[in-house]
């Protein structure tokens, strides 16, 4: 029942390997425009190639108009989440599941030697779990029908 | 490797059983206020106790300021997602996982005889998968140490 796999395997399964990011001095409006264009729910915030935070749909929903701010006049650094949980390519899927559940976040930036190399979302994780499950079932069916031994 | 369980078991595991909802003629601003107060990412939209849509952080982020609208002057019905995938209490966890992944949604309203009785989020699903996994490991450990038979 343990879900196998690593972060790098999930990244390899994603349709696109491009990681969209934004600078902390861009406006919140620019962030939501980019999220919409790229169809993502959060963006890593990079300053001189270093990860300094994340800005998500949740940050936008909770910290702009409800706090009397305007998206066109607010810099991302004012509302971004700056204590970010990150993972590395060799971390296990199980570890990611626990972080996402305990910290109530939907996105985990993936760092390799302090460099951002990917973003892992809660949706990517669920998709991975389904594929692992389907593989196990396929494998079992082949074993039962005698066409191949289960590994 | 098949993840067991039903929608009703997940609902029972949730900390709160209250389902917050809103009416389609309320403003988008009221919706994001309520989402923030209740710490949820989406609200089912009810008209005369009937589910007519969902409004989420994503709807707010994508369809208000980017489309030239204002949250205080826009009714929820103008931007809500009105074709909503729903599940019933007896549906399997596996079915929910597939809907959430295929439809790229984060929330599934739970209906029983057309009545809304709960909301299931992608986070609830992941939490469930972790608990099923941990139970299986516990069980295996008890079996290996001889204190109890594995079921």
């Amino acid at each position: 029942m343990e879900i196998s796999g690593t972060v790098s395997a999930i990244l390899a399964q994603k349709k696109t390997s491009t990681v969209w990011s934004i600078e902390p001095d861009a406006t919140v409006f620019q962030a939501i425009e980019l999220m919409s264009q790229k169809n993502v729910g959060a963006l890593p915030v990079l300053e001189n190639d270093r990860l300094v935070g994340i800005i998500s749909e949740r940050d936008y929903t909770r910290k702009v108009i409800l706090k009397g701010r305007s998206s066109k006049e607010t810099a991302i650094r004012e509302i971004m989440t700056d204590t970010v949980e990150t993972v590395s390519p060799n971390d296990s899927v199980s570890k990611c599941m626990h972080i996402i559940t305990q910290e109530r976040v939907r996105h985990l930036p993936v760092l390799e030697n302090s460099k951002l190399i990917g973003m892992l979302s809660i949706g990517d994780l669920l998709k991975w779990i389904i594929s692992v499950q389907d593989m196990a079932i396929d494998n079992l069916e082949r074993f039962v029908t005698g066409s191949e031994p289960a590994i």
Side-chain angles (χ1 to χ4, degrees), chain A:
Chain A
M1 189 53 79
E2 171 85 348
I3 306 290
S4 59
T6 59
V7 169
S8 56
I10 301 184
L11 291 184
Q13 192 196 37
K14 290 184 72 159
K15 276 183 201 154
T16 168
S17 60
T18 314
V19 192
W20 308 104
S21 64
I22 199 155
E23 293 178 7
D25 293 321
T27 65
V28 171
F29 186 83
Q30 288 172 310
I32 65 168
E33 257 187 330
L34 188 60
M35 283 188 224
S36 171
Q37 281 163 18
K38 305 307 178 190
N39 199 25
V40 294
L43 291 169
V45 184
L46 295 187
E47 191 165 31
N48 303 322
D49 271 347
R50 200 174 56 88
L51 183 74
V52 292
I54 275 198
I55 179 157
S56 67
E57 290 168 338
R58 172 143 301 175
D59 295 316
Y60 171 62
T61 307
R62 302 271 170 97
K63 303 178 194 167
V64 182
I65 197 162
L66 294 181
K67 304 287 181 188
R69 294 186 175 106
S70 141
S71 66
K72 289 183 180 168
E73 284 153 25
T74 304
I76 289 170
R77 68 166 80 247
E78 294 176 57
I79 67 152
M80 68 185 187
T81 299
D82 52 11
T83 46
V84 185
E85 292 282 342
T86 63
V87 289
S88 71
N90 295 326
D91 279 334
S92 68
V93 170
S94 188
K95 178 179 174 180
C96 300
M97 287 167 63
H98 279 90
I99 296 174
I100 280 185
T101 307
Q102 274 156 19
E103 308 292 326
R104 297 188 61 136
V105 293
R106 293 183 188 136
H107 299 87
L108 290 173
V110 183
L111 298 187
E112 188 167 36
N113 304 323
S114 309
K115 197 183 167 321
L116 179 74
I117 60 156
M119 281 283 276
L120 200 151
S121 73
I122 186 169
D124 297 329
L125 268 178
L126 203 63
K127 209 168 166 180
W128 176 261
I129 294 166
I130 290 177
S131 69
V132 168
Q133 214 181 263
D134 289 350
M135 256 190 309
I137 293 168
D138 271 7
N139 194 30
L140 195 66
E141 280 173 355
R142 280 199 302 269
F143 174 69
V144 170
T145 60
S147 60
E148 211 173 303
I151 301 160

